[in-house]
Amino acid sequence: MPDSQPLVEDSQWQQGQLDNGLKYHLRSVSGAPVSFRLLVHAGAVDEAAEQAGYAHFLEHMAFLGSDGFDAGKVESLFVGAGVTFGDDLNAFTSHDVTSYQIDLPDNKRMEDAIVWLSDIATGKLTLDPALLENEKGAVLGEFRLRQRGDKPAELKAFEALLQGSRYDGIDVLGTQDSVKNINREGLLAFYQAHYRPQNTELIITGNIDNQRLEPMIARYFNTANFVGGRAGEDVDIDNAAIESGDEGIASLTPDPLYLTGAAGQQAGISLLIELGDSRVTTDLQYQTMLLEDAVLRAISRRLNDRHIETQSPLLGSYSFPTLVIDRYIGAIGADFAESDRLIAQQFFAEELASLRDHGVGTFEFESVKDSFLNEINGLDTQWLNKRAVDYSEDRLNALILGKTQQSKEDVRSQLQNFVDQLNQAKLNKAINSYLSESRNKPVFVVTREEGASKAKATFTQFTKQFSAKGKALIMASSAMDIPMPEKGGEITFYEELEPTTHRWTLENGIDVWLRQMPEAGDRAYVYLMSSGGMAALPSELRYASTLAPSVLARSGLAGISASKLEQLLVRHNTYVESVLWETSHGLYSETAKQELPFALSVLYQAMTAAKVDEQYFSAVQQESVVEQGNWLSSPLGSYVSQVVGTLYPADSTLQLPTGEDIQQVSPDQVQSVVDTLMRKKRNFTLVVSADIEVSDFNRLLRRYVAGISFEAESGSSAIAPVITDYRTNPKVSTASKQVAEAVDNTLTYQVHLLSQGKPKSTKDRFTADILDRLLNKRYRDELRNAHGLGYDPSAQLIWSDGSGETLVIFTVNAAPGKLDAVRASTRQVLEKARAGFTAEEFAVAKSQLATALTPGLTNPQEQARMLSSYVLFGADPQAVLHPDKVLSTLTLEEINALSERVIGKEAQQMESMLMPKEPSSKAGNPDA
């Protein structure tokens, strides 16, 4: 390869720098939204020991008052413009940076956003002592949510990789003691020391005029009042971020790690391999990154295929890159039952050794190469659908990682160059190199019930197996293609609803809808769905239904094995999955437009010829038995099972199966699930969103869809009844309480409210969304903002398509000693909500919904998904195309009426708790 050359920055970005050192990045993006990111190159690693958690706590305080905004005004101002807190208005802190986000639906509040962000950046946060004290409760709630004592193995591995670096032992949240002891003076000192102009970058994308925006940025950000600096003081503005010395983690060593998983986590083994740096700034680094990605794709494909073909004892395998601070690490691993450790580790070692010493076969190599070609072919569509928020996020990540952000054409050139240079020998040489690396690190994960001693005793044996010469495999060089449908069919009805929306009925009864969308580019999104789902199955098949999707995926299709089918799908740039939800079922596919015939052929075979392979059924069944048993034995799994068992009758499809229940399922029962749902005519509807001509689509329908046949039952037609009202028949009639024990010293508190009514109408889809937003806002304001009882209290309104039954769940994670306060606050929220909402609240929530729906109007996949749901269940499809027409008819009275129905005193109500083993305060208990 020629000498490495620097990558070229995307010229669509306009960059500037103020006199004080602050950098800004501007990009005009078509459409109305405007997206902001304020990046401060200061995070947890910049804290002194006594300041642990200050960077993160300061991020919280940015929403609680500044010179330009009183406490609460930040959220109320932007929320009133259609912004949703958490989705559009948010922030995060990491080891190295703090970032603030605001995504506006248009540019009307743009100057307000700049004022708020400049207040944060230029030392104008008020840090009100009273609000600071209250916010401690929310931050300590975040400890309970994120910093569990029962850590998963992945987090323990991450912490182990930081040992010896300046990140060693640093938690972004800090410590509970340091958070409890925060005061205004200490937080202000951290603020003034680290929020400096040369440490700060501003990103703005969307409907902007750079010439008008630059003076505004200078006016608000180019001030002598930037904390940490003095007027006239010389500052080094060569770099946006202050250099902090060696920021990297130590190189991997071959010493093994032995880690205990969290409750319910499977046993497993992984091999960590050292990859490149995150700072990709040259073409050589970019090409190396792509080659590493290809290696991991090849390993993933081999492990998955061999697991299926040999019916190995694995529960699953993986191979992917993960970022650890500034370095990519390849994680190659497998999960298994602890009792299968020896045989599973032998399989893992021998398969990797075979791949290392003999490489991939021709067909495997072509599959990897095809996956990169698919990326090249999809670039235009990917860029076509980028929004302002996507460009802001891309820029933010590039600045954090220190990598060059390239234009679409430069990315295409890099990918094409990689594909042109890639050959089987080169890929196999790279696989051999990475799997032969002496610093590769094995990680053994044991369950909470097992000690590390058993895993340690297998280390020598695993090392010997992995070091031995790998066996050569007989690899297929090609695979048969999906057969074409044996016969086609005719169209019996067609209408144009509007210029871009069309409807057909086929002679087999399938209804078809086409959304012609230029935004789809070279992609097509396909839903072939029917109402029914799990609710259409007899009770004796409900446990079999939990296995059906996995068994079918493992069984292959039309005489083609699952592994070969997956390789064919990659070659044809197509994705297909089966869908089985509570009230609907079918198939989803995403494909290249030119591959629609192939995708429809796959759907045809799945509808007419899907068969359960008993050999693979047994493997899936045993994996599911282990996984479900582990989950239900964990505190959370036990709790969920108790809650569901109390809410619903024993024969409900919502009941969680045990491992024993799954063990009783037979292959014939799974096949009955398939035949009942896919082979009987109900109301199957095909919805396609693509940039395709009607005449071309007509031919595809006749050839690939109209010929799908449905089974005829003895003495009757194949038409299955359409369920018009799905009910789970909840059995709770009085308030009750379920208590389970948690591992961590924290309380999960929930209130469930169930109600019955008419099935969901078109308008109900909108009013339910608005009510969900209103309940969430009330609950968060009361429990978090007013009383600091939890970090993320939430309300969720669940209303399945086709059902008149609703379930509202209020959830909060709190300190065990705050149970009475949580109960009282929840009760108060319910009482006030039952009294109704205000016109102002309604207007804000309706504006938020309108903003949330807007991106979906030009999103082909979302249009296909929503249209499929609407037409299946008798809702007005025009509401998908023109939601504003429904929004304009909604009234506050309708919202309050729905609220009375779903959370009123007539609703069935249940309280439930996941309690710690010892509720009393102990060391480290976040009891704020």
Side-chain angles (χ1 to χ4, degrees):
M1 178 179 284
D3 292 340
S4 183
Q5 299 296 318
L7 297 176
V8 178
E9 282 276 3
D10 184 352
S11 61
Q12 293 297 309
W13 284 94
Q14 178 176 329
Q15 300 182 65
Q17 184 168 295
L18 302 182
D19 294 340
N20 59 13
L22 178 139
K23 283 187 175 181
Y24 56 86
H25 310 260
L26 310 177
R27 180 168 186 145
S28 178
V29 182
S30 62
V34 179
S35 180
F36 299 80
R37 298 294 182 272
L38 178 71
L39 176 63
V40 183
H41 290 273
V45 77
D46 300 297
E47 300 162 344
E50 66 277 8
Q51 296 174 323
Y54 277 36
H56 172 255
F57 200 96
L58 184 60
E59 169 221 309
H60 278 239
M61 294 303 298
F63 294 86
L64 297 176
S66 66
D67 285 1
F69 297 87
D70 295 334
K73 187 180 178 182
V74 171
E75 182 176 347
S76 64
L77 177 67
F78 296 119
V79 164
V83 169
T84 299
F85 185 84
D87 294 332
D88 310 310
L89 180 64
N90 213 331
F92 72 84
T93 305
S94 71
H95 283 83
D96 290 300
V97 303
T98 306
S99 176
Y100 299 89
Q101 162 202 347
I102 180 165
D103 299 315
L104 299 174
D106 50 49
N107 59 13
K108 294 178 183 178
R109 296 283 189 185
M110 189 165 65
E111 187 165 2
D112 290 325
I114 290 176
V115 171
W116 176 56
L117 295 175
S118 69
D119 277 1
I120 296 170
T122 60
K124 296 176 183 176
L125 296 181
T126 53
L127 307 181
D128 182 277
L131 295 174
L132 186 152
E133 286 301 316
N134 187 71
E135 193 63 17
K136 288 181 181 180
V139 174
L140 290 171
E142 194 169 356
F143 272 90
R144 291 188 295 270
L145 189 66
R146 305 190 191 283
Q147 197 186 64
R148 296 296 180 99
D150 188 33
K151 296 178 181 178
E154 296 82 4
L155 178 55
K156 293 178 180 178
F158 175 79
E159 292 173 345
L161 294 177
L162 300 186
Q163 291 177 3
S165 73
R166 67 193 190 103
Y167 301 91
D168 192 353
I170 295 176
D171 190 296
V172 171
L173 296 184
T175 69
Q176 293 165 27
D177 286 340
S178 68
V179 169
K180 291 176 184 178
N181 292 325
I182 288 178
N183 56 48
R184 186 181 188 279
E185 291 71 25
L187 194 61
L188 181 62
F190 180 86
Y191 186 26
Q192 292 176 338
H194 296 286
Y195 276 53
R196 298 169 61 88
Q198 68 269 37
N199 247 20
T200 310
E201 304 193 59
L202 178 67
I203 303 167
I204 308 178
T205 62
N207 183 19
I208 59 176
D209 181 340
N210 291 358
Q211 289 186 339
R212 294 181 59 188
L213 192 55
E214 286 186 285
M216 192 184 301
I217 293 171
R219 181 164 74 253
Y220 289 110
F221 284 90
N222 199 12
T223 170
N225 293 328
F226 246 70
V227 292
R230 300 188 182 96
E233 178 184 4
D234 291 331
V235 294
D236 176 11
I237 60 175
D238 291 334
N239 297 295
I242 295 176
E243 295 296 332
S244 304
D246 181 16
E247 297 185 359
I249 64 170
S251 298
L252 293 178
T253 69
D255 302 322
L257 280 177
Y258 300 96
L259 305 173
T260 303
Q265 190 168 13
Q266 316 291 349
I269 187 171
S270 61
L271 194 67
L272 304 183
I273 62 176
E274 200 162 299
L275 305 178
D277 192 280
S278 67
R279 299 175 181 85
V280 179
T281 59
T282 69
D283 55 4
L284 179 58
Q285 290 172 326
Y286 199 101
Q287 293 295 308
T288 300
M289 177 187 70
L290 293 176
L291 183 59
E292 291 169 344
D293 193 10
V295 167
L296 292 173
R297 294 186 195 192
I299 293 172
S300 177
R301 185 79 266 144
R302 172 65 69 86
L303 287 176
N304 183 68
D305 290 349
R306 290 288 290 165
H307 164 52
I308 294 173
E309 292 170 1
T310 66
Q311 297 187 68
S312 79
L314 303 188
L315 298 174
S317 62
Y318 53 85
S319 174
F320 59 86
T322 184
L323 186 67
V324 180
I325 305 297
D326 65 339
R327 181 177 304 168
Y328 284 104
I329 301 294
I332 305 165
D335 299 323
F336 44 78
E338 186 65 53
S339 58
D340 290 329
R341 179 176 293 279
L342 285 176
I343 188 172
Q345 289 183 177
Q346 180 178 356
F347 170 85
F348 183 69
E350 291 178 349
E351 292 301 326
L352 290 183
S354 173
L355 192 54
R356 176 195 64 214
D357 296 336
H358 302 283
V360 297
T362 302
F363 194 57
E364 287 180 309
F365 167 73
E366 292 296 335
S367 181
V368 171
K369 188 173 182 178
D370 285 341
S371 69
F372 285 97
L373 287 171
N374 291 342
E375 290 186 21
I376 295 172
N377 294 332
L379 276 178
D380 287 336
T381 302
Q382 179 187 346
W383 248 260
L384 179 66
N385 288 291
K386 276 193 176 186
R387 300 172 296 144
V389 62
D390 301 315
Y391 282 106
S392 285
E393 285 294 303
D394 288 348
R395 192 62 167 186
L396 179 68
N397 290 329
L399 294 175
I400 292 173
L401 297 178
K403 67 180 183 181
T404 302
Q405 189 176 14
Q406 300 180 92
S407 69
K408 177 184 67 175
E409 292 309 317
D410 284 341
V411 171
R412 190 196 309 277
S413 176
Q414 289 290 341
L415 285 169
Q416 190 63 58
N417 182 54
F418 174 72
V419 170
D420 292 344
Q421 298 296 322
L422 186 65
N423 56 52
Q424 193 170 340
K426 182 177 181 178
L427 178 58
N428 285 337
K429 181 179 179 181
I431 292 171
N432 176 272
S433 174
Y434 282 107
L435 289 181
S436 299
E437 174 60 58
S438 61
R439 293 179 303 189
N440 290 349
K441 191 177 196 69
V443 179
F444 297 81
V445 177
V446 298
T447 62
R448 291 180 65 248
E449 293 73 25
E450 297 284 345
S453 58
K454 289 185 178 180
K456 289 181 179 179
T458 69
F459 171 62
T460 301
Q461 182 178 0
F462 170 77
T463 302
K464 182 178 179 181
Q465 292 164 342
F466 181 56
S467 301
K469 179 70 174 178
K471 297 178 181 178
L473 302 177
I474 299 175
M475 305 299 297
S477 59
S478 63
M480 61 182 293
D481 216 328
I482 288 289
M484 296 273 287
E486 295 179 1
K487 64 183 183 69
E490 292 302 319
I491 296 169
T492 60
F493 171 81
Y494 164 76
E495 66 174 330
E496 178 185 291
L497 277 79
E498 55 181 56
T500 61
T501 307
H502 309 264
R503 181 186 178 188
W504 292 259
T505 300
L506 309 182
E507 67 171 314
N508 55 8
I510 294 178
D511 282 332
V512 180
W513 294 72
L514 172 65
R515 284 282 286 129
Q516 292 174 304
M517 300 186 69
E519 296 88 349
D522 67 349
R523 304 297 291 170
Y525 304 88
V526 182
Y527 283 89
L528 179 56
M529 298 290 292
S530 167
S531 63
M534 294 181 68
L537 295 171
S539 59
E540 64 268 19
L541 293 181
R542 68 183 186 274
Y543 297 144
S545 68
T546 64
L547 295 179
S550 297
V551 170
L552 286 181
R554 199 76 63 88
S555 295
L557 190 63
I560 302 173
S561 70
S563 59
K564 297 300 184 291
L565 177 61
E566 178 61 28
Q567 291 168 345
L568 274 175
L569 290 170
V570 172
R571 171 168 292 182
H572 288 277
N573 200 0
T574 298
Y575 171 79
V576 176
E577 70 170 338
S578 58
V579 176
L580 179 52
W581 294 327
E582 291 298 325
T583 62
S584 61
H585 63 273
L587 299 158
Y588 168 71
S589 178
E590 179 182 332
T591 184
K593 183 170 65 175
Q594 66 271 21
E595 295 289 356
L596 252 177
F598 171 81
L600 293 176
S601 290
V602 175
L603 299 189
Y604 177 93
Q605 294 297 332
M607 289 288 293
T608 61
K611 296 294 182 184
V612 171
D613 187 306
E614 295 191 14
Q615 180 181 11
Y616 293 121
F617 163 83
S618 298
V620 172
Q621 183 182 48
Q622 289 310 116
E623 292 168 18
S624 299
V625 167
V626 173
E627 291 171 346
Q628 190 72 352
N630 281 353
W631 159 245
L632 292 178
S633 67
S634 71
L636 182 58
S638 174
Y639 168 71
V640 172
S641 179
Q642 289 185 56
V643 168
V644 172
T646 304
L647 287 174
Y648 302 104
D651 61 350
S652 169
T653 57
L654 297 178
Q655 290 289 348
L656 301 181
T658 65
E660 290 76 13
D661 293 329
I662 295 173
Q663 191 71 60
Q664 299 304 313
V665 174
S666 69
D668 288 343
Q669 287 179 314
V670 175
Q671 188 66 55
S672 293
V673 170
V674 177
D675 295 340
T676 300
L677 297 181
M678 307 301 286
R679 301 296 299 119
K680 299 184 187 302
K681 184 185 298 184
R682 188 174 276 108
N683 61 342
F684 273 100
T685 303
L686 176 72
V687 176
V688 177
S689 181
D691 186 14
I692 187 171
E693 294 296 327
V694 168
S695 58
D696 293 334
F697 196 62
N698 277 329
R699 290 192 294 271
L700 294 177
L701 292 180
R702 290 190 176 96
R703 184 68 185 88
Y704 298 96
V705 184
I708 294 174
S709 60
F710 296 95
E711 289 180 350
E713 298 183 79
S714 177
S716 65
S717 71
I719 298 177
V722 175
I723 303 173
T724 57
D725 188 2
Y726 300 83
R727 292 179 182 270
T728 57
N729 298 316
K731 63 181 182 179
V732 177
S733 57
T734 59
S736 59
K737 180 172 67 176
Q738 292 289 304
V739 179
E741 285 189 345
V743 174
D744 294 301
N745 196 16
T746 187
L747 160 72
T748 298
Y749 176 86
Q750 291 186 321
V751 172
H752 307 75
L753 298 107
L754 295 114
S755 68
Q756 298 288 352
K758 294 180 180 179
K760 185 164 58 175
S761 68
T762 301
K763 186 173 283 190
D764 288 334
R765 293 169 179 262
F766 291 77
T767 56
D769 187 292
I770 289 174
L771 180 57
D772 184 275
R773 294 171 187 273
L774 291 169
L775 292 173
N776 260 294
K777 180 70 164 58
R778 287 274 188 96
Y779 203 49
R780 185 166 57 85
D781 282 350
E782 176 70 18
L783 274 81
R784 172 176 171 160
N785 297 342
H787 299 294
L789 292 172
Y791 168 66
D792 192 24
S794 65
Q796 182 183 16
L797 197 168
I798 302 170
W799 195 350
S800 296
D801 288 339
S803 175
E805 186 175 286
T806 63
L807 171 63
V808 177
I809 307 175
F810 291 89
T811 304
V812 64
N813 183 270
K818 299 296 184 180
L819 176 58
D820 290 342
V822 165
R823 277 177 165 157
S825 292
T826 302
R827 186 164 51 247
Q828 185 174 15
V829 169
L830 273 172
E831 290 173 354
K832 289 184 177 180
R834 287 166 177 163
F837 296 92
T838 68
E840 181 180 2
E841 288 177 300
F842 170 61
V844 167
K846 187 165 73 168
S847 175
Q848 289 177 322
L849 176 56
T851 299
L853 290 172
T854 299
L857 297 176
T858 55
N859 184 315
Q861 183 180 23
E862 183 65 5
Q863 283 285 288
R865 184 194 68 80
M866 291 182 65
L867 189 57
S868 175
S869 170
Y870 273 58
V871 299
L872 273 184
F873 293 94
D876 184 0
Q878 290 292 329
V880 177
L881 313 180
H882 309 288
D884 54 307
K885 294 182 179 179
V886 179
L887 282 167
S888 65
T889 68
L890 301 182
T891 66
L892 176 60
E893 290 72 24
E894 290 171 323
I895 301 298
N896 285 332
L898 179 61
S899 178
E900 175 60 28
R901 172 190 155 185
V902 302
I903 65 168
K905 293 183 179 179
E906 296 301 316
Q908 301 181 58
Q909 182 173 327
M910 187 187 82
E911 175 189 62
S912 63
M913 288 163 285
L914 177 60
M915 299 288 291
K917 292 181 179 179
E918 298 180 10
S920 59
S921 178
K922 284 200 167 187
N925 176 32
D927 194 21

